[in-house]
Amino acid sequence: EVSTIAVAMAHGPPPPLPVAAGPFIGRDAELTQLAAAVDEGTRLVTLLGPGGAGKTALACHFAAGHPMGENVPAYYVDLSTATDADDFMSAVSGVLGITLMADDPWSQLERVVQKRGPCLWILDAFDRLASTLAGRLGDLAAASERSLFLVTTRTRLGHHTEQVVSVGALSPEEGVALFEDRARNARE
């Protein structure tokens, strides 16, 4: 059983989302797809694209707009160094400020997530975990009927509940605007 302390701590405010280096540029089609996924009650959305395409920036920009309501917290979990289930559990429990017991941490995490209520979870850089944890993540998302799991990765998860939003290159105009903004910031 998850301790009452762990569940109570899970109700604290989430850490702030990563802040973008400059204004968010483009991605209107992807933002529309994400909003539609929320409206449809989708629980697992994969932002799929190559490294450097802007998946993380898109996820954080979307979450900052409170797509599930003003009082629904967004949790950002950096998985860039995670290589296995233990690393995943450590990263998620660290963001929540809880400790999961060694015996059956998935069930404990599922109960904590369910007790937390509606949340938006950004699981960033899920790439190295996709082949081993996609099924468990999909099951967690399905069991968390009021939450959205937004996963950034370069590979499809392959779970039957997954909705994929492809994140490709910006349009030439958007790319120029982004380059000009970053160049301007570099000079300042």
Side-chain angles (χ1 to χ4, degrees):
E1 184 71 27
V2 176
S3 73
T4 327
I5 295 170
V7 173
M9 291 177 73
H11 281 279
L17 296 171
V19 178
F24 187 79
I25 296 172
R27 304 285 181 213
D28 292 337
E30 292 89 344
L31 288 168
T32 299
Q33 287 179 287
L34 288 169
V38 169
D39 291 344
E40 295 165 4
T42 302
R43 297 289 155 237
L44 179 61
V45 177
T46 300
L47 294 177
L48 179 69
K55 299 179 297 288
T56 302
L58 174 60
C60 291
H61 178 78
F62 180 70
H66 305 287
M68 297 173 63
E70 190 71 34
N71 296 320
V72 176
Y75 291 92
Y76 173 84
V77 182
D78 180 359
L79 298 169
S80 60
T81 61
T83 58
D84 59 24
D86 289 340
D87 292 343
F88 175 82
M89 289 297 179
S90 178
V92 173
S93 62
V95 166
L96 287 171
I98 63 170
T99 300
L100 297 172
M101 303 303 140
D103 61 319
D104 200 13
W106 280 99
S107 293
Q108 294 170 42
L109 179 60
E110 184 176 303
R111 287 192 299 267
V112 168
V113 168
Q114 287 173 342
K115 286 188 181 284
R116 180 63 191 98
C119 295
L120 191 153
W121 297 88
I122 299 172
L123 303 177
D124 191 25
F126 198 78
D127 309 76
R128 288 185 294 235
L129 303 171
S131 63
T132 57
L133 295 182
R136 298 216 75 172
L137 177 60
D139 294 344
L140 178 64
S144 308
E145 61 188 52
R146 298 176 294 168
S147 292
L148 170 65
F149 290 79
L150 189 53
V151 179
T152 70
T153 183
R154 290 177 275 189
T155 58
R156 289 179 185 266
L157 301 182
H159 194 270
H160 68 281
T161 63
E162 171 189 33
Q163 180 174 329
V164 175
V165 174
S166 294
V167 181
L170 292 170
S171 71
E173 297 80 18
E174 293 165 343
V176 168
L178 180 64
F179 177 78
E180 288 173 343
D181 177 73
R182 298 309 186 261
R184 192 171 30 260
N185 287 341
R187 285 188 299 235
E188 295 174 354

